[in-house]
């Protein structure tokens, strides 16, 4: 039985940095499996979507120069909201709600809580007198791990 306005998915990924399979070199392997689900509500002037991402992340890393070989699996949770209509959207998401620290030696292998806020607008800039039709899409995004901030406007 299908539920109207509801969707699900499965995300499985694998990444490898360095020579993670080599017993001499340093390297990191990341495996993840997540179940995602989203539901949207229809309102008169816009729609509102709510999404949830729940899964597990496994990181394996080796530092042969120190004799440290480690493998850890931790839960991962992300959530987001989006509101949209035919000319506008705004969204906010929080990724890795429970931050994951995989190594006491190297903080770069941790997965930090990250916030992403974005919005877009599609203005109709057409001119009837000149027959010029234009609909530029304006998008802004801000991403932060609460230490560093990155923004972009297109």
């Amino acid at each position: 039985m299908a539920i109207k306005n509801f969707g699900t998915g499965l995300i499985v990924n694998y990444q490898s940095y360095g020579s993670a399979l080599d017993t001499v070199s340093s390297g990191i392997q990341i495996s993840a499996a997540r179940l995602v689900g989203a539901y949207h509500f229809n309102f008169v002037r816009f729609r509102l979507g709510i999404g949830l991402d729940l899964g597990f992340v496994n990181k394996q890393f080796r530092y042969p120069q120190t004799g440290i070989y480690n493998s850890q699996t931790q839960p991962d949770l992300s959530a987001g909201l989006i509101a949209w209509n035919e000319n506008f959207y705004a969204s906010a998401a929080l990724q890795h709600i429970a931050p994951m620290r995989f190594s006491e030696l190297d903080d770069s292998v941790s997965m930090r809580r990250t916030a992403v806020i974005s919005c877009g607008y599609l203005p109709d800039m057409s001119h009837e007198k000149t027959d010029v039709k234009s609909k530029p899409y304006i998008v802004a995004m801000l991403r932060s791990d609460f230490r560093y901030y990155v923004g972009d406007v297109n």
Side-chain angles (χ1 to χ4, degrees):
M1 176 176 98
I3 299 173
K4 188 175 180 181
N5 299 340
F6 182 73
T8 61
L10 177 66
I11 299 172
V12 178
N13 65 339
Y14 172 81
Q15 299 171 334
S16 179
Y17 305 97
S19 301
L21 299 176
D22 184 355
T23 58
V24 179
S25 303
S26 296
I28 300 170
Q29 292 176 322
I30 304 169
S31 305
R34 298 186 308 272
L35 180 63
V36 295
Y39 186 84
H40 77 261
F41 301 92
N42 294 316
F43 294 99
V44 175
R45 301 185 72 163
F46 68 97
R47 290 180 176 181
L48 176 67
I50 300 172
L52 188 64
D53 176 329
L54 177 63
F56 291 92
V57 176
N58 174 269
K59 277 197 173 184
Q60 298 178 24
F61 51 93
R62 59 180 73 241
Y63 299 99
Q65 61 275 20
T66 62
I68 295 175
Y69 302 92
N70 199 351
S71 177
Q72 296 178 13
T73 301
Q74 296 184 3
D76 190 16
L77 174 67
S78 300
L81 294 170
I82 184 168
W84 75 97
N85 64 21
E86 63 184 47
N87 294 321
F88 176 80
Y89 85 89
S91 67
L94 195 56
Q95 300 170 321
H96 313 302
I97 291 173
M100 295 173 265
R101 187 168 185 140
F102 288 97
S103 171
E104 298 299 324
L105 297 176
D106 186 355
D107 201 39
S108 69
V109 298
S110 295
M111 299 180 86
R112 297 188 174 281
R113 181 180 303 125
T114 304
V116 180
I117 299 171
S118 64
C119 62
Y121 180 60
L122 181 63
D124 189 353
M125 300 177 75
S126 302
H127 298 282
E128 291 178 18
K129 294 180 182 178
T130 61
D131 286 335
V132 174
K133 295 186 192 256
S134 175
K135 280 190 157 187
Y137 200 60
I138 302 165
V139 178
M141 185 269 308
L142 177 65
R143 181 180 182 99
S144 174
D145 66 357
F146 304 100
R147 293 182 314 160
Y148 303 104
Y149 295 85
V150 176
D152 188 22
V153 176
N154 288 313

